[in-house]
Amino acid sequence: MQVPATFEYERADSVTHALELLERYGPEARVVAGGHSLIPMMKLRLAQPEALIDINGLAAELGRIAVEGGELAIGALVRHAELLESATATDLFPIFRDAERVIADPIVRNRGTVGGSLCQGDPSEDLSAVFAALRATAVIQGPGGTRTVPVRLFHEGPYETAVGPGELLIQLRVPVAPGTGSAYEKVERRVGDWPVAAAGAVLRVEDGVIAQAGIGLTAVGAAHFCAPEAEEHLTGRPPGAEAFAEAGRIAAEHCAPSADQRGPADYKRHLAAELTRRALATAAGRI
Amino acid sequence: MSYGPMHRKEDARFIRGRGNYTDDVRLPGMLYGAILRSPHAHARIVSVDTSAAEAHPKVRAVITGQTLAGLNLAWMPTLSQDTQAVLATDKVRFQGQEVAFVVAEDAYSARDALELIDVEYEPLDAVIDARNALDPGAPVIRDDLEGRTGNHIFDWEAGDRARTDALFEQAEVTVAQDMIYPRVHPAPLETCGALADFDKVTGKLTVWCPTQAPHAHRTLYAMVAGLPEHKIRVISPDIGGGFGGKVGIYPGYVCAIVGSIVTGKPVKWMEDRSENLMSTAFARDYHMRGEVAATRDGRIQAIRVKVLADHGAFNGTAQPTKFPAGFFHVFSGSYDIEAAHCEVTGVYTNKAPGGVAYACSFRVTEAVYLVERMVDVLAAELGLDPAELRMRNLLKPEQFPYTSPTGWEYDSGDYPKALRLAMDMAGYDKLRAEQADKRARGELMGIGVSFFTEAVGAGPRKHMDILGLGMADGAELRVHPTGKAVLRVSCQSQGQGHETTFAQIVGQELGIPADDVEVVHGDTDQTPFGLGTYGSRSTPVSGAAAALVSRKVRDRAKIVAAAMLEASPDDLEWADGKWSVVGDPSAGRSMAEIALAAHSNLELPDGVEGHLDAVTVYNPPNLTYPFGAYICVVDVDPGTGQVKVRRFVAVDDCGVRINPMIVEGQIHGGLADGVGMALMQVMAFDEDGNHLGASFMDYLLPTAMECPSWELGATVTPSPTHPIGAKGVGESATVGSPAAVVNAVVDALGPYGVRHADMPLTPANVWRVVNGDPFRTDLAIP
């Protein structure tokens, strides 16, 4: 039987309360939301936090999806299943539907949260690539108030994020613009598995040329889950198969996959190119 | 009257969450055990310091290899005439090996205390790749065995080498192929565990444990630990899947027993998922080289194979004593082949012991995979359709009973009929036409065929035993005065539906409803001796025992009925579920009427006892030989290497089907297993012997999303040696399906000149195969 080590448990009743608890318990405390990464790690004793601050009661503050001031705002406590079912989010950005349909399984999606996924900082995490492609902004709250961090600067390394010890990720904000199409492509060994590789694409086309491209990559060692060189190649060009293939090639060239039991590095690099190309083509078709 | 589809009696409790598994059993004062395991694949133990763990306020006992050595229990015999460490004393020999056992007041404290045990290891070089095990200079894993200077366990052969080799020399065409059937694991939903309760006052030991062979466990505990057998009770409650992984005795079981004796309290130990995957019986790990000799027009003449078998650190495979490679030598398969020969070499490696598990029918799985892949390799060489090549070589119905070139006597079959049915169901010619169209467009579609012959239902006892215990099974039947019956059997269900199937057998034989028959199993104090459930042997052996014991009761009932009808027993006939005087069926007596009469004031003939009870032991005269034809259709994405199983047609012939619904359920499960093995499952190890599949994140089980809607068909060829003509089906689909899936993927990759690819065919592996650069699936991906 897998059993965790001893820990303290506190249930927060507001964001302010959660921040107070984080301050009280210090850096060995961890925030628990869906718990689908943290709890298994605790049961395997790979993680032994001294205290868990449970924020599951904060849906009123952190569980909303809404368009506000030209941005789609997604609360950190929004469950994967809620994002998948949100017409507001998926009509604007079908990339959410593509990605959420292949994240884990329905049981995990019912509990796991958007914020938790990002804060876990797993280098193979799907939504990190999705938000990177969307050029989202993370809103972080601490004792001194809120601050924003571009999501492309949110991840500082594997399992490391911009969220400080006394802080809480509270929201993701995605800029909304007309003429945008988006898509996500993932290869997994089995449904519900972490990706062998995955690519997200967001295209905004104005006057027949690509005004802005966003490419998110996960599980392939892409810095900050994005592919700026490939995006640059696309900017100003008309969308088309040749440009997409070249963007895929460039994206693959700039990532640094490592081999594991999901596949060797050359295969993952190949997937970076192939899935980028496919995601771009699908995104273009959705504009 | 009782055969046919019927809802499983056991489902009422399972679907309500009212099953009773080992971990559900709680006894007053019960303590909890946890095992400290080796982080190294191969290391010398320098010291074990348990003082801090012993000082933990909730710890009641810490048991080490040294503790057990004092009781002469540090080592125990395996089911293959080897020994296995219960808790390591000298060295650890695989990652995850048992080193110490903590007994504490709760599971949390037991686990906490493991972290307080300080073990100093001196790491040693490990043998991970079986192909290096016999190298001169390879580290000697079993230096505990006197005189061991290498890692060789056994050489074994079957068939006629000279005749086989002669046919190869003269053959028009020969093909050869290396292939790995990689190490996989049955991964039952319920892990292993035990609750041991030693009563110091009565001297009785009770062990709750999910074992597929409760009686064998009891006898082995008696033999090994010297406990009197009548003072041992093994209870195997509901089991959450066994698949052969719950046949043997694991170190944790012995630790729980010792823990209970030491503390005087019941001790429960349940392993976690990682422990289950890392330390309990794996399956397969066969490195094979197959060769086939044939005529140019596709007549297979001879087949030979060399196998390197990785048995892990202790030779703990569970199979009949005579056959160290199990039934692998059934590898000439379903074909009329003049000569066959196999050589198997078993070696030690620094991996967990096991090898016979995961519904393998004592390695028929490996045999079927080998021959079915080789037939496809030959088909590619000859440019023949693989279904056509099979049809040309299948045994004909008139050849049965058929003695195979390696000495098996196949009991019955109509193989061409089964294959034709599968091809008709699949629309084989249309599929080939569709494939040709798709290939012209650059799309990859594959059609895979496999045909299997199983050998299940061991014994006979004279040829088959485990540690000297003959492979037979007992049954006891009592009919109560109101005609309700209780059947007690020695085998133990792990989800096969015995409580239903065996009730139907008794019902059919006695002319009573299956609902009127209670089946008791899994408790050695309540059931007769027998070897248990594995190798698809329940229906072939215990099912036969159930039928025969019913017939004994029926014969006894005849005497009683004769007294009731004031007739001679010789004048009675059994018709429509009643005994009646020949020619007067209207005055027949039902079993319920006879049962009441047997216990009433009816005057019985001298010497006839007034009851309807009987006992039997069934020693099978031969194995039974189920067979089947499978066709799998896949689509492969050339850009990503992803495989989609689009269709799967399975025609099974398991003889008479007692409950077709249960049969189909078993086939569904086995087909899913086959998809899992073919596409995603493997236990790989890195060069240091780290286990790379020790959780369900890394060891993948297929889900409904990977499985098509199975298309099942049936032919029925009764077994002539079985009392009701049944053949056993529990493992058929697991045995037959992996080859169909792999053959389909390889067929899809035909345009790239691919003739073979090793399992699992993950997207990465398929892509590498397409690019001509396959990797070893059983090692860390470089």
Side-chain angles (χ1 to χ4, degrees):
Chain A
M1 191 166 83
Q2 291 174 345
V3 291
T6 306
F7 59 91
E8 298 292 322
Y9 173 85
E10 295 276 4
R11 192 167 172 86
D13 54 29
S14 69
V15 170
T16 314
H17 184 213
L19 294 173
E20 282 169 18
L21 290 167
L22 281 171
E23 190 175 356
R24 190 193 310 162
Y25 284 96
E28 294 307 311
R30 292 291 301 272
V31 171
V32 65
H36 275 79
S37 296
L38 182 56
I39 303 296
M41 285 173 71
M42 288 170 65
K43 287 172 76 174
L44 292 167
R45 301 204 175 197
L46 297 172
Q48 297 201 7
E50 289 173 7
L52 289 188
I53 315 298
D54 185 344
I55 60 165
N56 282 292
L58 309 187
E61 286 179 88
L62 303 181
R64 291 187 323 118
I65 300 173
V67 178
E68 305 168 339
E71 288 181 313
L72 173 69
I74 301 171
L77 199 63
V78 166
R79 313 282 168 181
H80 291 292
E82 292 168 344
L83 183 56
L84 178 59
E85 285 158 18
S86 164
T88 306
T90 58
D91 286 355
L92 281 170
F93 303 107
I95 188 172
F96 285 125
R97 187 185 305 119
D98 293 350
E100 287 292 3
R101 285 175 70 170
V102 292
I103 290 175
D105 52 55
I107 296 164
V108 172
R109 291 199 291 263
N110 284 341
R111 286 294 292 173
T113 64
V114 170
S117 296
L118 263 69
C119 288
Q120 180 69 17
D122 191 299
S124 298
E125 204 278 314
D126 289 289
L127 289 184
S128 302
V130 170
F131 284 111
L134 290 166
R135 297 174 197 273
T137 301
V139 184
I140 298 168
Q141 190 169 337
T146 61
R147 63 189 179 100
T148 58
V149 176
V151 87
R152 291 184 174 200
L153 297 176
F154 183 81
H155 292 102
E156 298 175 344
Y159 308 102
E160 285 177 28
T161 73
V163 182
E167 294 185 316
L168 196 63
L169 173 67
I170 58 167
Q171 197 180 63
L172 281 306
R173 302 184 75 87
V174 183
V176 176
T180 300
S182 63
Y184 194 70
E185 291 278 350
K186 172 174 172 176
V187 168
E188 52 192 358
R189 294 173 299 175
R190 186 206 65 187
V191 67
D193 190 18
W194 293 78
V196 181
V202 181
L203 285 177
R204 183 160 58 80
V205 174
E206 283 174 12
D207 303 326
V209 296
I210 296 169
Q212 190 179 52
I215 296 172
L217 290 170
T218 191
V220 292
H224 303 293
F225 295 93
C226 56
E229 299 83 0
E231 291 165 350
E232 200 176 312
H233 173 81
L234 290 169
T235 309
R237 289 176 196 272
E242 206 172 306
F244 297 156
E246 180 61 11
R249 198 194 60 74
I250 295 169
E253 192 181 298
H254 285 87
C255 65
S258 46
D260 59 18
Q261 289 315 98
R262 292 192 175 86
D266 60 344
Y267 172 63
K268 294 184 180 182
R269 193 182 294 282
H270 162 78
L271 284 184
E274 179 69 15
L275 299 181
T276 298
R277 183 187 68 75
R278 291 184 186 191
L280 284 166
T282 306
R286 287 172 172 172
I287 293 171
Chain B
M1 78 190 279
S2 270
Y3 291 0
M6 171 180 167
H7 282 129
R8 302 197 322 167
K9 294 172 153 207
E10 38 277 84
D11 287 345
R13 65 178 189 274
F14 291 147
I15 63 177
R16 286 171 172 82
R18 296 290 295 273
N20 183 43
Y21 299 89
T22 297
D23 203 20
D24 294 324
V25 181
R26 285 171 213 291
L27 299 177
M30 187 172 80
L31 303 175
Y32 294 80
I35 292 177
L36 182 71
R37 293 177 181 276
S38 167
H40 302 287
H42 200 192
R44 194 163 301 285
I45 295 176
V46 179
S47 63
V48 182
D49 180 357
T50 60
S51 53
E54 281 162 12
H56 189 290
K58 291 191 172 175
V59 167
R60 297 290 192 88
V62 181
I63 296 163
T64 65
Q66 291 308 323
T67 323
L68 293 182
L71 303 166
N72 202 25
L73 283 174
W75 293 81
M76 64 179 183
T78 69
L79 299 180
S80 290
Q81 295 78 49
D82 194 359
T83 54
Q84 172 176 2
V86 176
L87 293 175
T89 49
D90 54 341
K91 290 201 304 189
V92 287
R93 292 174 171 84
F94 66 92
Q95 189 187 50
Q97 188 182 335
E98 300 80 0
V99 175
F101 186 71
V102 168
V103 181
E105 290 170 22
D106 61 74
Y108 293 83
S109 300
R111 183 68 182 74
D112 288 347
L114 294 185
E115 292 173 25
L116 301 174
I117 299 174
D118 188 15
V119 184
E120 191 186 332
Y121 294 100
E122 177 194 326
L124 303 169
D125 288 341
V127 179
I128 301 309
D129 187 345
R131 295 177 191 187
N132 303 331
L134 300 179
D135 287 353
V140 179
I141 297 165
R142 296 302 302 280
D143 47 357
D144 58 294
L145 299 172
E146 215 174 297
R148 281 285 169 163
T149 56
N151 298 313
H152 181 267
I153 308 176
F154 65 84
D155 287 315
W156 188 78
E157 62 179 319
D160 187 333
R161 182 198 296 266
R163 203 158 145 234
T164 306
D165 289 353
L167 284 165
F168 267 87
E169 275 169 32
Q170 298 157 9
E172 293 172 10
V173 181
T174 62
V175 289
Q177 183 62 52
D178 288 318
M179 61 186 83
I180 301 174
Y181 205 135
R183 180 174 282 235
V184 290
H185 195 279
L189 199 56
E190 179 203 28
T191 58
C192 296
L195 167 56
D197 182 19
F198 181 71
D199 185 326
K200 280 188 171 161
V201 176
T202 62
K204 182 137 186 175
L205 171 69
T206 307
V207 183
W208 286 262
C209 174
T211 168
Q212 300 174 224
H215 290 278
H217 276 215
R218 185 192 64 203
T219 302
L220 292 177
Y221 287 140
M223 288 172 162
V224 174
L227 297 165
E229 195 170 4
H230 66 299
K231 293 286 191 183
I232 304 171
R233 179 183 185 187
V234 176
I235 302 174
S236 187
D238 286 331
I239 299 183
F243 313 105
K246 289 173 176 167
V247 174
I249 291 174
Y250 291 115
Y253 303 173
V254 179
C255 288
I257 293 168
V258 173
S260 180
I261 292 172
V262 168
T263 61
K265 300 279 185 187
V267 173
K268 181 192 278 181
W269 165 75
M270 288 302 297
E271 68 190 4
D272 68 26
R273 180 59 57 192
S274 295
E275 293 180 289
N276 180 258
L277 290 169
M278 289 177 82
S279 70
T280 65
F282 74 92
R284 331 287 193 248
D285 218 341
Y286 259 33
H287 301 247
M288 306 184 276
R289 180 174 180 77
E291 293 177 275
V292 168
T295 61
R296 208 165 295 286
D297 62 356
R299 176 100 199 99
I300 302 172
Q301 295 164 300
I303 182 167
R304 63 188 177 195
V305 54
K306 283 189 181 173
V307 180
L308 181 66
D310 184 337
H311 280 235
F314 308 103
N315 186 21
T317 57
Q319 77 262 305
T321 306
K322 266 191 183 175
F323 305 109
F327 296 170
F328 180 77
H329 56 305
V330 73
F331 72 99
S332 65
S334 314
Y335 307 105
D336 190 1
I337 300 180
E338 202 179 325
H341 183 255
C342 70
E343 293 173 79
V344 183
T345 297
V347 296
Y348 290 120
T349 60
N350 287 113
K351 301 179 194 170
V356 171
Y358 204 169
C360 74
S361 296
F362 301 123
R363 299 204 192 267
V364 181
T365 325
E366 290 93 321
V368 165
Y369 181 71
L370 183 279
V371 63
E372 291 306 299
R373 276 276 54 243
M374 289 313 300
V375 171
D376 265 35
V377 169
L378 178 66
E381 175 73 21
L382 297 173
L384 280 173
D385 180 274
E388 171 59 25
L389 179 60
R390 283 178 174 78
M391 206 57 106
R392 284 185 200 178
N393 287 281
L394 284 176
L395 291 164
K396 309 273 183 297
E398 58 273 20
Q399 288 177 275
F400 292 89
Y402 166 79
T403 304
S404 87
T406 50
W408 301 90
E409 192 177 302
Y410 296 7
D411 57 356
S412 63
D414 187 341
Y415 293 179
K417 182 176 160 189
L419 180 54
R420 266 195 306 274
L421 176 59
M423 291 171 73
D424 289 348
M425 286 172 62
Y428 190 78
D429 294 341
K430 270 191 181 169
L431 286 171
R432 287 289 175 203
E434 181 192 349
Q435 182 186 37
D437 286 349
K438 290 210 155 131
R439 278 193 180 167
R441 296 199 299 269
E443 294 172 32
L444 301 180
M445 168 187 168
I447 304 152
V449 182
S450 80
F451 199 102
F452 67 91
T453 297
E454 269 254 72
V456 306
R461 190 146 75 171
K462 65 180 170 181
H463 295 311
M464 295 171 195
D465 68 273
I466 288 183
L467 290 185
L469 301 171
M471 299 184 77
D473 276 89
E476 292 176 10
L477 181 61
R478 292 182 199 168
V479 181
H480 296 322
T482 58
K484 314 294 184 193
V486 177
L487 176 74
R488 298 165 192 276
V489 288
S490 53
C491 62
Q492 165 62 352
S493 174
Q494 309 120 48
Q496 291 93 337
H498 292 173
E499 290 167 37
T500 310
T501 299
F502 293 165
Q504 289 182 265
I505 293 173
V506 173
Q508 174 83 10
E509 297 293 335
L510 296 188
I512 62 177
D515 279 336
D516 287 356
V517 185
E518 183 87 349
V519 176
V520 177
H521 54 146
D523 179 345
T524 58
D525 271 9
Q526 303 288 334
T527 56
F529 185 82
L531 272 252
T533 297
Y534 41 85
S536 296
R537 61 190 300 282
S538 291
T539 297
V541 187
S542 286
L548 293 183
V549 79
S550 301
R551 289 174 193 175
K552 281 190 173 182
V553 165
R554 202 167 70 195
D555 288 346
R556 176 171 284 280
K558 183 182 188 181
I559 298 168
V560 178
M564 294 167 80
L565 295 165
E566 296 176 355
S568 161
D570 295 341
D571 294 334
L572 263 51
E573 65 175 356
W574 178 255
D576 300 330
K578 292 178 176 185
W579 281 118
S580 53
V581 177
V582 176
D584 185 14
S586 61
R589 293 290 188 268
S590 72
M591 198 55 63
E593 292 166 329
I594 298 168
L596 195 57
H599 292 282
S600 73
N601 56 5
L602 176 75
E603 188 137 356
L604 292 169
D606 284 349
V608 175
E609 296 173 354
H611 64 81
L612 290 184
D613 305 340
V615 179
T616 197
V617 174
Y618 184 71
N619 176 25
N622 187 8
L623 297 162
T624 64
Y625 293 82
F627 58 92
Y630 290 174
I631 297 176
C632 176
V633 183
V634 300
D635 297 301
V636 178
D637 183 332
T640 63
Q642 285 171 296
V643 175
K644 173 86 186 158
V645 178
R646 191 207 307 173
R647 289 182 64 196
F648 202 110
V649 172
V651 172
D652 273 272
D653 190 324
C654 56
V656 171
R657 295 183 172 208
I658 298 148
N659 185 328
M661 192 157 62
I662 287 180
V663 169
E664 288 175 7
Q666 299 231 44
I667 293 168
H668 284 181
L671 296 175
D673 282 339
V675 168
M677 282 179 271
L679 300 185
M680 62 191 77
Q681 289 177 354
V682 66
M683 291 188 138
F685 292 80
D686 71 12
E687 58 188 8
D688 296 323
N690 291 307
H691 196 298
L692 301 176
S695 82
F696 281 160
M697 272 186 68
D698 302 304
Y699 187 74
L700 303 178
L701 304 185
T703 74
M705 298 299 285
E706 283 77 35
C707 297
S709 183
W710 312 112
E711 301 169 58
L712 304 191
T715 61
V716 176
T717 316
S719 167
T721 61
H722 190 274
I724 55 176
K727 290 187 170 184
V729 75
E731 299 166 317
S732 286
T734 315
V735 164
S737 60
V741 180
V742 174
N743 284 348
V745 175
V746 171
D747 183 55
L749 303 184
Y752 296 96
V754 175
R755 283 200 181 173
H756 176 72
D758 280 326
M759 298 184 280
L761 293 160
T762 59
N765 189 13
V766 170
W767 183 78
R768 276 291 201 88
V769 166
V770 163
N771 286 281
D773 187 20
F775 50 76
R776 276 277 295 272
T777 56
D778 58 332
L779 302 176
I781 294 176

